[in-house]
């Protein structure tokens, strides 16, 4: 596997790639991201799982199983043990995922109903590699079944997302931990100038976005109208005008 680490102000992020053999007659390349907070291992790591050979739902199942195992190792170093465990048990996790697919879908719908739909409003300071950055945001939104808008108005860049709360949090983790842009020298870098303006449950007066779209606005009133049409006039007035100062 490939083992890399990046020092962080608030902990350390490990990127690990594992090739798991003999799974469904094909090799599966798992891309694992472990973010270890400063008080690790007393606190569980954040984990992200991606693979071109697995569906998004299967990746989420693998993540859930890894977190279950992580709880068993609380207060002791665990990353190496988690890697060994998933190498040995990936086949069974995937088989179990297929077996209980219908049950999980029903449970997911019930949980979604109970938790409701959540909304996230982010402010980005800039995008140097705009085309690549936009494509990455669109892919994440699609993979996580999130709807909303990536909005450009002058120097203002906003990302408004709606979806299941767990997927919203997964998006935020990807946004903060992945190399999505380039610095002034053209070197790939993580997004360090991002602000979470609002994270809240979608209310009855809010309109649900049906798709995720990238839109540019020539004037502030056009951007305001986008928010008002979605029943988010209060959100706009509270968070957007201060960005112009």
């Amino acid at each position: 596997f490939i083992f890399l680490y990046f020092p962080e102000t608030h902990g350390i992020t490990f990127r690990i790639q594992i090739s798991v053999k003999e799974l469904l007659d094909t090799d599966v390349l798992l891309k694992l991201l472990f973010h270890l907070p400063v008080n690790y291992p007393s606190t569980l790591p954040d984990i992200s799982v991606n693979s071109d050979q697995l569906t998004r739902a299967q990746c989420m199942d693998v993540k859930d199983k890894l977190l279950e195992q992580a709880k068993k190792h609380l207060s002791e170093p665990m990353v190496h043990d988690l890697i060994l465990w998933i190498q040995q048990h990936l086949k069974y996790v995937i088989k179990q995922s297929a077996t209980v697919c219908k049950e999980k879908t029903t449970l997911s719908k019930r949980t979604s109903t109970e938790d409701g739909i959540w909304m996230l409003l982010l402010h980005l300071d800039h995008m140097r590699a705009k085309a690549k950055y936009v494509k990455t945001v669109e892919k994440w939104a699609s993979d996580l079944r999130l709807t909303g808008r990536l909005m450009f108005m002058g120097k203002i860049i906003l990302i408004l997302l709606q979806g299941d709360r767990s997927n919203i949090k997964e998006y935020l983790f990807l946004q903060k931990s992945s190399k999505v842009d380039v610095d002034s020298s053209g070197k790939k870098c993580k997004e360090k100038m991002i602000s979470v303006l609002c994270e809240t449950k979608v209310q009855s007066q809010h309109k649900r976005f049906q798709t995720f779209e990238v839109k540019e606005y020539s004037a502030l009133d056009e951007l305001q109208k986008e928010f008002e049409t979605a029943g988010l006039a209060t959100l706009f007035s509270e968070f957007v005008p201060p960005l112009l100062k």
Side-chain angles (χ1 to χ4, degrees):
F1 56 81
I2 299 173
F3 179 79
L4 304 171
Y5 74 94
F6 303 94
E8 292 284 336
T9 305
H10 301 292
I12 296 176
T13 297
F14 290 84
R15 293 179 180 278
I16 302 169
Q17 293 188 11
I18 313 170
S19 182
V20 182
K21 305 289 185 180
E22 299 178 358
L23 175 65
L24 305 178
D25 300 322
T26 185
D27 292 350
V28 173
L29 182 64
L30 279 183
K31 302 173 185 177
L32 307 175
L33 192 69
F34 293 89
H35 176 69
L36 311 184
V38 289
N39 51 353
Y40 166 87
S42 298
T43 300
L44 291 177
D46 287 320
I47 303 174
S48 180
V49 179
N50 284 285
S51 175
D52 292 337
Q53 287 80 39
L54 302 179
T55 66
R56 187 67 200 172
Q58 289 172 327
C59 287
M60 293 294 283
D61 285 337
V62 172
K63 173 185 172 180
D64 290 342
K65 292 298 183 183
L66 283 172
L67 287 174
E68 285 181 16
Q69 291 300 311
K71 291 176 183 178
K72 299 178 182 179
H73 296 277
L74 196 59
S75 298
E76 61 185 56
M78 65 184 77
V79 173
H80 182 64
D81 289 331
L82 294 178
I83 294 170
L84 292 178
W85 186 88
I86 198 60
Q87 284 180 308
Q88 296 169 2
H89 295 85
L90 181 62
K91 173 188 275 188
Y92 307 104
V93 173
I94 299 306
K95 283 186 176 180
Q96 184 181 30
S97 175
T99 302
V100 301
C101 180
K102 291 184 179 179
E103 293 180 11
K104 287 192 67 179
T105 300
T106 303
L107 177 61
S108 176
K109 288 180 179 178
R110 187 184 306 126
T111 302
S112 177
T113 302
E114 292 171 355
D115 291 346
I117 301 299
W118 280 69
M119 177 169 56
L120 178 70
L121 180 62
L122 302 174
H123 173 240
L124 303 183
D125 184 75
H126 62 269
M127 284 185 181
R128 286 194 174 95
K130 183 176 178 180
K132 180 179 179 297
Y133 203 134
V134 169
K135 187 175 180 180
T136 299
V137 171
E138 288 180 312
K139 184 180 187 305
W140 287 342
S142 175
D143 288 347
L144 294 168
R145 300 183 297 280
L146 299 175
T147 60
R149 300 285 186 267
L150 169 54
M151 301 176 280
F152 296 91
M153 200 288 294
K155 293 184 178 181
I156 293 179
I157 306 172
L158 298 171
I159 301 177
L160 179 61
L161 299 170
Q162 293 178 346
D164 290 345
R165 192 176 189 185
S166 60
N167 290 351
I168 289 280
K169 291 189 176 297
E170 175 79 2
Y171 176 92
L172 193 54
F173 177 66
L174 289 171
Q175 178 79 60
K176 290 181 176 180
S177 61
S178 304
K179 291 189 175 183
V180 291
D181 206 1
V182 296
D183 59 22
S184 56
S185 62
K187 185 178 179 180
K188 291 181 179 180
C189 66
K190 297 178 184 178
E191 180 57 75
K192 295 182 178 180
M193 301 184 72
I194 183 174
S195 301
V196 178
L197 300 180
C198 179
E199 184 177 357
T200 185
K201 191 174 182 179
V202 171
Q203 303 300 318
S204 57
Q205 69 270 24
H206 300 153
K207 177 183 176 183
R208 286 289 311 279
F209 292 108
Q210 299 303 311
T211 59
F212 182 82
E213 298 178 23
V214 180
K215 302 185 74 171
E216 301 208 15
Y217 309 86
S218 58
L220 185 63
D221 58 347
E222 290 183 11
L223 182 60
Q224 183 175 356
K225 186 176 181 180
E226 180 78 69
F227 276 79
E228 290 176 348
T229 301
L232 301 172
T234 302
L235 190 71
F236 175 88
S237 60
E238 184 175 354
F239 295 106
V240 180
L243 299 176
L244 298 171
K245 298 178 181 179

